[in-house]
Amino acid sequence: MRYLDRITIEPGKRGGKPCIRGMRITVYDVLSYLASGMSYDEILEDFPYLTKEDILACLEYAAARERHTLMAPA
């Protein structure tokens, strides 16, 4: 899957944060739900307009950002 097909960034929406398919739910929102222990099914139940592919796109987006993060020397 290519997260670029699902993650959008619009300057006037949610402060330009990466969102899912142009909606107002951000990648950060989804990652926070996962980090708090919510399962995919719980997220999908609370947000019926999301899909499993949306959640996976958020994870792929986060992995891509981590891959390109540079460490600053101490």
Side-chain angles (χ1 to χ4, degrees):
M1 177 184 28
R2 301 256 323 148
Y3 69 87
L4 296 174
D5 298 334
R6 291 185 178 270
I7 305 301
T8 58
I9 298 174
E10 299 175 44
K13 188 176 287 179
R14 295 294 305 262
K17 294 179 181 173
C19 294
I20 300 170
R21 294 184 286 122
M23 295 184 282
R24 298 192 60 77
I25 186 162
T26 66
V27 169
Y28 175 82
D29 295 333
V30 173
L31 295 175
S32 293
Y33 301 141
L34 291 169
S36 74
M38 286 181 77
S39 69
Y40 288 11
D41 289 336
E42 290 170 323
I43 294 170
L44 297 174
E45 185 176 318
D46 286 352
F47 303 94
Y49 46 85
L50 293 179
T51 66
K52 180 180 176 184
E53 290 75 19
D54 293 329
I55 296 171
L56 293 173
C58 291
L59 292 170
E60 185 180 359
Y61 179 87
R65 286 203 48 171
E66 180 63 22
R67 182 173 41 251
H68 297 292
T69 301
L70 297 176
M71 297 296 289

